[in-house]
């Protein structure tokens, strides 16, 4: 049986007209002899009537205490509504469909409410539907614990649902439908000259997603990679080819030696809402332990970490600013924070050690009058921390410097 998972994001199911487009894509897949499993996100974006944040606000405006368990129940509702409405749209076109919650789809998670990990999938329910020729329309972003508690999967959760179901049902492909033509060389909202990348490696898209390109969630990419299922990113609104994500055999290629070779840098990603923290103390075991233990205890994840003998520098997500200031105050650390930073990242493969890559980045940023606050590199990325006010200029400058608009 040729199974294709087709995931449609929030904007793709926002209006009746769009939902009809979605349904006709699903029906066309069915007509071609394949078996679609549809995964949907909640209808609309922030502020919309049935958007998840609207539902959550209704609950938390009444009581804002500790109730992660109950919140997960209401957070799962948006996708459930979406699944019923899309399933009905498909039925109205004369095809058999059925709305399925994450719980019914057999998606078993741990009990980390709000950001649960999928432990396993019992695929029997969905297989039965497919065997009967019925198109399942699964509510994304949710699962259930072994003791029956409803959980949600955190940001990008519907992408994860799609990849997880693709793996559990040995799908031929996982298709992620969204509001752009595919994975692009940069966020098209920031770089008007961004181009669609026809084919990209799991590792490269993983790095892009992890560094802020929200077109597909890194967890979903990791699942697809682990089960070696091709993923496609396509536009709901048109028939363009989109991007295929596969395993490319870079290892069989010769090591790159110079910048002159094509495609050293494949894309530029960026992430806002970052702060840079510097803590000043001369290296000693006790202070190091206090700092690291507190960051761990309060679940602050840190990035761009540079430890020097006289200071420790790292970045945090702005959502953790208060926590970090509290830790500093309580432990009487001398510290400084630069708020409103952004991270811009150039993504390629085997770029470490190629002469000139960092040189080009420094040149492009400094010619645009942008100061680099900090930098880091890996085999596949070079990142620079800059002030948030410069981010659009920076992404565009790097995009042009590496000829990505050509
Ligand atoms: P959905 O609701 O379909 O899940 P998302 O908003 O999560 O959609 O992701 C699609 C958005 O990702 C696009 O509208 C685009 O602005 C953004 N994006 C960021 N970086 C990229 C990139 N490199 N390629 C394509 N889209 C990107
Ligand atoms: Mg998304």
């Amino acid at each position: 049986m040729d199974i294709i998972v087709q995931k449609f994001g929030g904007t793709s199911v926002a209006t009746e007209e769009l939902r009809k487009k979605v349904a006709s894509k699903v029906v066309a897949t069915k007509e071609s002899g394949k078996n679609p499993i549809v995964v949907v996100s909640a209808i609309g974006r922030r502020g919309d009537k049935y958007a998840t944040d609207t539902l959550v606000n209704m609950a938390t405006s009444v009581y804002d205490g500790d109730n992660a368990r109950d919140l997960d129940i209401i957070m799962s509702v948006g996708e459930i509504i979406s699944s019923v409405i899309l399933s009905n749209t498909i039925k109205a076109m004369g095809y058999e469909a059925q709305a399925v919650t994450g719980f019914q789809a057999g998606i078993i998670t741990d009990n980390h409410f709000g950001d649960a990990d999928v432990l396993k999938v019992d695929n029997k329910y969905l297989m039965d539907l497919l065997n009967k020729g019925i198109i399942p329309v699964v509510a994304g972003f949710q699962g259930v614990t072994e003791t029956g508690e409803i959980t949600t999967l955190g940001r990008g959760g519907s992408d994860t649902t799609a990849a997880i179901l693709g793996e559990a049902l040995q799908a031929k492909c996982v298709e992620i439908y969204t509001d752009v033509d595919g994975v692009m060389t940069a966020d098209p909202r920031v770089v008007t000259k961004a181009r669609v990348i026809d084919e990209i490696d799991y590792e490269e898209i993983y790095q892009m997603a992890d560094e802020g390109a929200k077109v597909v969630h890194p967890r979903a990419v990791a699942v697809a990679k682990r089960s070696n299922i091709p993923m496609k990113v396509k536009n709901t609104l048109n028939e363009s080819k989109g991007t295929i994500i596969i395993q490319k055999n870079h290892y069989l290629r010769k090591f790159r030696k110079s910048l002159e070779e094509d495609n050293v840098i494949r894309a530029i990603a960026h992430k806002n809402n970052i702060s840079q923290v510097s803590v000043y103390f001369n290296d000693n075991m006790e202070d190091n332990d206090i700092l690291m233990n507190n960051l761990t205890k309060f679940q602050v994840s840190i990035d761009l970490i540079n430890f020097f003998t006289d200071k420790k520098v790292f970045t945090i997500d702005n959502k953790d600013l208060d926590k970090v200031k509290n830790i500093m105050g309580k432990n009487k650390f001398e510290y400084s924070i630069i708020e409103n930073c952004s991270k811009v990242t150039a993504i390629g493969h085997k770029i470490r050690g190629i002469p000139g890559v960092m040189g080009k980045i420094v040149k492009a940023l400094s010619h645009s009058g942008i100061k680099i606050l900090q930098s880091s590199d890996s085999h596949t990325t070079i990142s620079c921390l800059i002030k948030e006010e410069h981010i659009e200029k920076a992404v565009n400058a790097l995009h042009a410097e590496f000829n990505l608009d050509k």
Side-chain angles (χ1 to χ4, degrees), residues 66 247 251:
D66 182 18
Q247 180 78 56
Y251 298 106

Side-chain angles (χ1 to χ4, degrees), residues 325-340:
K325 287 177 182 171
N326 276 337
I327 293 171
M328 297 301 148
K330 257 197 216 135
N331 295 289
K332 302 202 165 53
F333 280 126
E334 191 191 323
Y335 72 102
S336 62
I337 296 184
I338 304 178
E339 294 180 19
N340 304 320

Side-chain angles (χ1 to χ4, degrees), residues 7-12 41-42 44-45 156 158-159 176-190 194-197 205 208-209 212-217 233-234 236 243 267-270:
K7 179 258 172 178
F8 296 91
T11 44
S12 302
S41 296
R45 291 265 157 115
S158 294
D159 294 347
I176 305 287
Y177 285 90
T178 184
D179 58 355
V180 288
D181 282 352
V183 176
M184 305 185 74
T185 48
D187 186 342
R189 284 173 216 232
V190 173
R195 287 181 312 102
V196 175
I197 301 172
I205 182 68
M208 284 176 70
K214 68 170 182 167
V215 61
V216 44
H217 198 272
V233 178
K234 294 175 129 188
T236 307
T243 301
I268 310 296
H270 72 282

